């Protein structure tokens, strides 16, 4: 007889779009990067989809992360050609700089210790876990990679 141990109750589930969750991309923790102040990681991420500085600025100045996401997701605006290959690097850069700018964010991330972090989205199978929990969980991976970098810098 085989027993499968389910560690999922030990995992940290969070939403990338939860304004109240400090580790989310939508939480309002401004940071400086690329010579500009970004209101959220989501603003930075969405703006970096474009080479056009006017479009980047329009997204950066949008009132909410939801509006930034909407502006960044327009299918008729041509995205930078290398977007698929750099999107995780861009998200990682934003999350890392946010954590380095706000020590409380770094502390919260470090306090997760070695816990698996899961972006709890039923619909997003790339950034999240998807409804069947078999998605790529790229946002969770980004958070765990930034946590590892912060731990490395501590020692």
């Amino acid at each position: 007889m085989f027993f499968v141990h389910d560690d999922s109750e030990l995992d940290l589930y969070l939403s990338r779009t939860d304004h109240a969750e400090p580790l989310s991309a939508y939480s309002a923790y401004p940071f400086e990067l690329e010579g500009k102040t970004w209101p959220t990681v989501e603003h930075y991420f969405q703006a970096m989809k474009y080479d056009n500085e006017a479009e980047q600025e329009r997204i950066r100045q949008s009132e909410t992360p939801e509006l930034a996401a909407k502006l960044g997701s327009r299918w008729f605006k041509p995205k930078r050609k290398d977007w698929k290959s750099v999107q995780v690097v861009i998200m990682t850069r934003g999350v890392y700089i946010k954590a380095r700018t706000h020590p409380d964010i770094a502390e919260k991330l470090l306090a997760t210790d070695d816990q698996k972090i899961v972006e709890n989205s039923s619909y997003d199978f790339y950034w999240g876990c998807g409804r069947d929990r078999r998605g790529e969980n790229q946002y969770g991976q980004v958070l765990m990679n930034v946590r590892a970098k912060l731990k490395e810098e501590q020692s």
Side-chain angles (χ1 to χ4, degrees):
M1 183 175 260
F2 293 98
F3 292 97
V4 177
H5 178 65
D6 183 9
D7 285 332
S8 65
E9 71 271 3
L10 304 174
D11 297 346
L12 172 62
Y13 286 83
L14 56 83
S15 171
R16 186 172 59 90
T17 61
D18 181 358
H19 291 259
E21 169 54 59
L23 298 178
S24 89
Y26 279 46
S27 61
Y29 286 86
F31 58 92
E32 289 201 22
L33 194 55
E34 315 278 342
K36 297 175 182 168
T37 300
W38 300 93
T40 69
V41 170
E42 191 67 17
H43 281 82
Y44 172 72
F45 176 77
Q46 294 297 335
M48 291 299 105
K49 289 180 177 179
Y50 302 98
D51 291 321
N52 179 323
E53 283 194 43
E55 192 62 30
Q56 288 179 359
E57 192 59 19
R58 184 166 171 233
I59 293 169
R60 187 180 74 82
Q61 291 185 8
S62 60
E63 288 186 29
T64 65
E66 289 84 1
L67 184 54
K70 185 177 179 180
L71 292 172
S73 299
R74 295 197 165 163
W75 60 268
F76 55 86
K77 295 269 186 183
K79 290 178 183 61
R80 52 193 275 183
K81 292 181 183 357
D82 64 348
W83 181 244
K84 288 278 188 208
S85 65
V86 301
Q87 62 183 340
V88 172
V89 172
I90 298 291
M91 183 66 83
T92 302
R93 186 180 299 151
V95 170
Y96 174 75
I97 296 299
K98 173 183 166 181
R100 296 292 287 147
T101 302
H102 301 279
D104 54 321
I105 300 294
E107 287 173 27
K108 182 168 175 64
L109 190 51
L110 288 166
T112 64
D113 199 29
D114 290 326
Q115 211 173 4
K116 181 178 180 184
I117 302 173
V118 180
E119 205 288 297
N120 193 23
S121 172
S122 295
Y123 303 102
D124 191 334
F125 285 80
Y126 182 75
W127 291 108
C129 62
R131 78 178 116 288
D132 64 0
R133 301 275 188 247
R134 291 189 285 173
E136 291 186 40
N137 188 35
Q138 287 295 323
Y139 191 71
Q141 294 295 327
V142 163
L143 289 170
M144 292 183 286
N145 290 339
V146 169
R147 177 181 65 198
K149 178 73 173 159
L150 294 171
K151 278 184 182 179
E152 180 185 301
E153 290 173 357
Q154 277 187 332
S155 50

